[in-house]
């Protein structure tokens, strides 16, 4: 069983909010490999954590509602592995729209990326 440690913002993330580290343990039997410098984000609309890069070209999602990791498979395109990339989450279409986890730049195993 593996754990993810996340910084949890208490009191609705107000300016005087308290932050604390919390361990989230995976209930499933699959999880991402260890990595360094990965892009990691939270999607509040799906209540998931998103992990990409850090020495691997795989993308993983941790579902906070059932405490399970799942690998995101895309048969058409997988961006090259990179570490220390810029990243962010963009939401289009409001509550029932689409969330995009955007990764840009970063350092690959043999080159630096300057893409978006």
């Amino acid at each position: 069983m593996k754990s993810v440690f996340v910084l949890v913002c208490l009191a609705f993330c107000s300016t005087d909010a308290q932050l604390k580290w919390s361990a989230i343990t995976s209930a499933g039997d699959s999880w991402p490999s260890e990595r360094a410098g990965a892009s990691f984000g939270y999607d509040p609309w799906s209540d998931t954590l998103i992990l990409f890069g850090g020495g691997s070209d795989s993308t993983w999602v941790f579902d906070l509602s059932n405490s399970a990791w799942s690998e995101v498979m895309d048969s058409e395109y997988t961006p090259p592995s990179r570490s220390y990339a810029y990243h962010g989450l963009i939401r289009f279409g409001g509550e029932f729209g689409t969330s995009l986890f955007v990764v840009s730049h970063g350092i690959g195993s043999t080159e630096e990326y300057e893409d978006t």
Side-chain angles (χ1 to χ4, degrees), residues 36-115:
S39 297
F40 191 72
Y42 172 66
D43 182 354
W45 294 277
S46 63
D47 202 26
T48 57
L49 302 172
I50 304 163
L51 176 69
F52 171 77
S56 171
D57 63 356
S58 63
T59 302
W60 288 79
V61 173
F62 186 80
D63 188 331
L64 291 164
S65 66
N66 64 13
S67 298
W69 283 105
S70 58
E71 186 172 9
V72 177
M73 306 299 280
D74 187 340
S75 60
E76 293 183 29
Y77 178 74
T78 300
S81 173
R82 62 192 74 196
S83 298
Y84 309 105
Y86 301 114
H87 60 278
L89 185 75
I90 302 170
R91 180 72 171 186
F92 295 99
E95 182 181 351
F96 301 105
T98 301
S99 296
L100 299 176
F101 188 65
V102 179
V103 178
S104 173
H105 295 69
I107 301 169
S109 60
T110 59
E111 64 183 298
E112 289 188 28
Y113 294 100
E114 296 183 6
D115 57 353

